[in-house]
């Protein structure tokens, strides 16, 4: 099988790493990729948002499967262009990807499917914003209706901050605050059959102790020793299958990766948000634990034959990933700094720990930073404590001037 992966972050590196280990994959390509992905796949320069360009590349490569990683190309309709060229594509259509592209659309789908979620108002005027903020009170939850690269949500006790963010959004969703721990649950679907993956938890705040600004994610771990063993079955029955069924009923079937961000509240499970693709950094830990070869599962989803796929097999090991971010992230990051120590991790810590590249590029022979989140250092172990230890040992070998990372990823869970 020849596979083309679209994207260039750590999520795509995790996907490429898993696909490169799959004996069914005979050729692996990535566009545009990054310095780390170049070690396992052939890179191609392409505008990931240009469906025509992606479809032409897939045709030239005679790809048997295209996997679209990031949300922006999906919302732009890249998967539709690939399918129109007659090539199987893992990723939802432009219309189905509105489940992530529009918070208001997602709320409408959930209401129709009786999916439990936070009560919310969709606001377009300052009067509506004030009314909604007053109705729910603090803490205020304000979400930009469109794509915002994981940074469009503000949760604050400060009414002025909440109002300022809401007014800057244009169309905005204001909703009730959900208490309780958060869980990420991915499911692979062909539009009818839904195959859940293993739950993970990520860390959105920039600083230890869940302090600081929201980010795209600073780390993750799996499994969740504190979660109810019946959680996956419950979410399948109340969230994932009803959502997939509702989208199919509407004539916009969702085929690809459906990601449910969940709050385990005092009143039960509630959906915080849906994403239309693998989450980053949760993908890094989920795929580290997946035993089943990945390519055939993704191809079955793309071809509408997922009911032929047996249940997924998982390793008993735990996995932890720690994000190394550049100076000033999540503000405007500093880029172009050399990254050292990658060879040391490969020599000293493999196979239990490895580095997945996010924002990197080659500058001559050197690897330099090229984004806010630069690396995802991922490790496995017999339990979370061992996986944490291995991940942070590997992090300590990496040298990137001004870099930052959280020191408490999976700390509480490892002690559970």
């Amino acid at each position: 099988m020849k596979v083309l992966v679209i994207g260039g972050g750590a999520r795509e590196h995790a996907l490429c790493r898993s696909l490169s280990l799959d004996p069914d994959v005979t050729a692996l390509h990535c566009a545009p990729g990054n310095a780390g992905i170049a070690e396992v796949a052939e890179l191609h320069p392409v505008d990931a948002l240009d469906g025509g360009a992606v479809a032409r590349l897939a045709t030239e490569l005679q790809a048997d499967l295209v996997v679209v990683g990031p949300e922006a190309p999906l919302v732009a309709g890249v998967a539709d262009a690939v399918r129109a060229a007659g090539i199987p594509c893992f990723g939802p259509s432009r219309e189905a990807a509105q489940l992530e592209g529009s918070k208001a659309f997602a709320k409408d789908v959930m209401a129709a499917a009786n999916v439990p979620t936070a009560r919310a108002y969709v606001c377009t005027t300052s009067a509506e914003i004030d009314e909604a903020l007053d109705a729910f009170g603090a803490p205020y939850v304000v979400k930009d209706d469109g794509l915002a690269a994981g940074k469009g949500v503000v949760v604050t006790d400060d009414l002025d901050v909440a109002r300022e963010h809401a007014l800057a959004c244009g169309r905005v969703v204001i909703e009730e605050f959900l208490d309780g721990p958060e869980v990420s649950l991915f499911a692979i679907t062909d539009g009818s059959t839904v195959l859940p993956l293993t739950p993970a938890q990520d860390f959105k705040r920039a600083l230890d102790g869940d302090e600081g600004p929201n980010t795209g994610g600073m780390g993750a771990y799996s499994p969740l020793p504190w979660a109810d063993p019946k959680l996956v079955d419950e979410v399948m029955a109340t969230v994932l299958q009803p959502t997939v069924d509702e989208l199919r009923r509407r004539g916009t079937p969702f085929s690809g990766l459906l990601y449910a961000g969940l709050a385990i509240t005092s009143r039960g499970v509630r959906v915080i948000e849906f994403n239309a693709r693998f989450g980053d950094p949760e993908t890094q830990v989920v795929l580290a634990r997946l035993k089943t070869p990945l390519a055939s599962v993704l191809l079955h989803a793309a071809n509408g034959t997922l009911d032929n796929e047996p249940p997924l097999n998982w390793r008993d090991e735990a996995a932890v990933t720690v994000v190394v971010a550049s100076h000033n992230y999540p503000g405007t990051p500093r880029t172009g700094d050399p990254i050292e120590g990658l060879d040391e991790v490969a020599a000293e810590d493999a196979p239990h720990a490895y580095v997945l590249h996010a924002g990197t590029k080659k500058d001559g022979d050197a690897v330099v930073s090229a984004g806010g989140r630069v690396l995802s250092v991922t490790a496995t172990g017999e339990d979370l404590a061992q996986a944490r230890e291995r991940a942070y040992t590997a992090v300590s070998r990496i040298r990137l001037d001004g870099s930052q990372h959280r020191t408490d990823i999976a700390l509480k869970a490892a002690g559970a």
Side-chain angles (χ1 to χ4, degrees), residues 255-277:
S255 165
L257 194 289
L258 178 58
Y259 164 133
L262 309 163
I264 313 300
T265 77
S266 52
R267 293 168 296 143
V269 175
R270 298 286 185 275
V271 175
I272 301 168
E273 64 175 356
F274 283 125
N275 289 336
R277 38 73 195 181

Side-chain angles (χ1 to χ4, degrees), residues 337-410:
D337 290 314
I339 304 165
E340 297 177 338
L342 298 172
D343 291 343
E344 291 170 40
V345 175
E348 302 290 336
D349 303 306
H352 303 297
Y354 48 89
V355 179
L356 298 168
H357 292 231
T360 69
K361 66 177 184 181
K362 289 298 282 281
D363 182 4
D365 289 335
V367 176
V368 300
S369 61
R373 293 187 294 175
V374 181
L375 305 170
S376 282
V377 181
T378 305
T380 55
E382 287 182 17
D383 53 23
L384 284 173
Q386 188 179 49
R388 269 192 97 246
E389 184 187 348
R390 287 171 169 171
Y392 279 108
T393 296
V395 168
S396 72
R397 301 187 201 279
I398 290 165
R399 297 175 295 285
L400 170 61
D401 187 48
S403 68
Q404 53 174 317
H405 64 272
R406 282 184 58 161
T407 66
D408 63 346
I409 303 301

Side-chain angles (χ1 to χ4, degrees), residues 11-12 15 67-77 79 83 89-103 105-106 147 185-189 240 243-244 247 252-261 273-280 283:
R11 162 188 45 225
E12 288 75 37
L15 286 163
V67 179
V68 182
E71 60 272 28
L74 292 167
V75 172
R83 279 191 277 268
C89 185
F90 182 81
S93 67
R94 181 203 303 262
E95 287 190 55
Q98 284 303 304
L99 205 57
E100 177 170 4
S102 168
K103 302 284 191 298
F105 175 78
L147 287 181
L185 185 61
F186 303 164
I188 291 170
T189 178
L240 297 170
T243 300
V244 168
L247 285 164
T252 55
F254 188 104
S255 165
L257 194 289
L258 178 58
Y259 164 133
E273 64 175 356
F274 283 125
N275 289 336
R277 38 73 195 181
F278 280 101
D280 183 346
T283 301

